[in-house]
Amino acid sequence: AELIDPAIKGTLNVLKSCAKVPSIKRVVITASIVSVVYNGKPLTSDVVVDETWFSDSRFCEKNKLWYMASKTLAEEAAWRFAEEKRMDLVVLNPGFVVGPLLQPSLNYTSEVVLAHTRGENIFPSSIYWLVDVQDVAYAHIQAFEIPSATGRYCLVERVVEFPEILKTLNELYPTLGLERKCEELHKPLKRRYQVSQEKAKSLGLSFTPWERSLRETVESLKEKGFLSI
C-alpha cells in the first residue's frame, strides 16, 4: 500500500497527462536497476546483466522485496501504457546514485553515505550498484535529445560490496577512524557480476569512477555542514 500503489499510480498519472499533449514527442522515465536484476537468476561472477533483463514482480512479492516490486510493476505499467498509446518512451534504470548534493538537505542516498562515514550500513543490502548523479543527469538529456535513443538503459558504473566502500573511505579519509571497522569486515574481495554499459555508452556516456563519486559525495557532505572531519 505504501510503495506499490503510489509507484504505479504516480507513473501512470504523469504518462496520462503527457498523452493529452500532442506536442510531446518523447517521454523519458527514471526507473531503477532494481526493476532489472530481481528475477531469481543466479548472479555469479561471470554474469553480465543488460537491458534484456526484467525483474519478476512475483519473485519480489514472494520475497517481500516491496521496493523492488513497486519499481518493477511501475515500469511494466509504463511500457503497457506507452504501447497502447503509441508513445515514444525511453526508460533509464540507474543504480544507487551518489555524487555531490544539489539540494541543501539530505536525501536517502546521501544519508546512506553519511552512515558509511561512521562505519554503518543502513542500506538493506550489502551490494551497491553505484553510479554518479551527474552521469545520470547527462543520460536523461541524451535520451531526450538523441533521436535514435530507444528502449531501456542500465546506468551502473560498478557493482560494489559495502566492505569495499568502507575500505575506500578509509583510504581517502583516514581521520574517519574506520580502520578497525575495516578489519572487522575484512574478507577477500571477490569479483562480482557486472551490469553492461554498452547501450548506455551509445548515449555518449562516459561513466565517472565510483571512487571519485564517493569522494565528491563526502566533500559535498562536508561543504553543506553534514560532516566534520
Side-chain angles (χ1 to χ4, degrees):
E2 291 176 12
L3 290 170
I4 293 176
D5 288 351
I8 297 171
K9 291 175 182 174
T11 299
L12 290 178
N13 281 344
V14 174
L15 291 178
K16 286 173 183 175
S17 296
C18 292
K20 293 174 185 175
V21 184
S23 61
I24 292 178
K25 302 302 181 189
R26 171 176 292 170
V27 180
V28 180
I29 282 183
T30 314
S32 172
I33 196 66
V34 302
S35 61
V36 177
V37 299
Y38 283 91
N39 51 25
K41 293 181 186 177
L43 292 167
T44 51
S45 62
D46 59 331
V47 167
V48 179
V49 174
D50 63 21
E51 287 77 9
T52 64
W53 284 50
F54 286 85
S55 292
D56 183 342
S57 59
R58 289 167 299 182
F59 171 82
C60 294
E61 289 174 8
K62 180 182 176 183
N63 291 280
K64 296 184 168 35
L65 301 168
W66 303 117
Y67 176 76
M68 292 71 176
S70 72
K71 291 293 186 182
T72 301
L73 290 165
E75 187 183 342
E76 287 174 357
W79 283 118
R80 282 196 301 270
F81 183 87
E83 185 177 357
E84 178 189 325
K85 299 294 182 182
R86 299 177 182 270
M87 177 182 282
D88 182 3
L89 181 69
V90 178
V91 173
L92 301 180
N93 300 85
F96 189 88
V97 183
V98 291
L101 282 72
L102 185 64
Q103 75 285 353
S105 57
L106 285 173
N107 58 4
Y108 177 67
T109 53
S110 54
E111 282 182 354
V112 171
V113 176
L114 188 59
H116 288 169
T117 66
R118 302 189 296 266
E120 303 168 4
N121 185 21
I122 61 173
F123 194 54
S125 169
S126 64
I127 305 297
Y128 288 76
W129 313 273
L130 295 175
V131 64
D132 192 279
V133 64
Q134 293 161 111
D135 295 343
V136 176
Y138 181 71
H140 279 73
I141 295 167
Q142 295 295 88
F144 172 70
E145 292 187 343
I146 295 175
S148 60
T150 184
R152 311 163 90 209
Y153 292 85
C154 294
L155 303 177
V156 174
E157 197 278 323
R158 189 77 61 82
V159 182
V160 183
E161 286 190 88
F162 172 62
E164 189 173 357
I165 295 174
L166 217 58
K167 179 176 176 286
T168 303
L169 276 175
N170 184 54
E171 290 169 357
L172 292 171
Y173 301 97
T175 55
L176 286 172
L178 297 174
E179 190 170 357
R180 179 176 291 182
K181 192 72 176 178
C182 288
E183 290 171 358
E184 290 173 7
L185 293 173
H186 177 71
K187 59 179 179 179
L189 294 173
K190 58 183 179 181
R191 184 175 179 271
R192 302 211 61 83
Y193 66 92
Q194 299 175 62
V195 177
S196 174
Q197 298 180 351
E198 187 176 344
K199 195 176 179 196
K201 287 181 177 178
S202 72
L203 295 176
L205 196 60
S206 179
F207 284 94
T208 305
W210 71 269
E211 297 91 341
R212 184 173 17 151
S213 302
L214 184 62
R215 185 179 69 244
E216 289 183 356
T217 310
V218 173
E219 290 300 319
S220 184
L221 290 168
K222 286 165 60 180
E223 180 188 333
K224 295 186 182 292
F226 296 112
L227 180 63
S228 178
I229 53 174

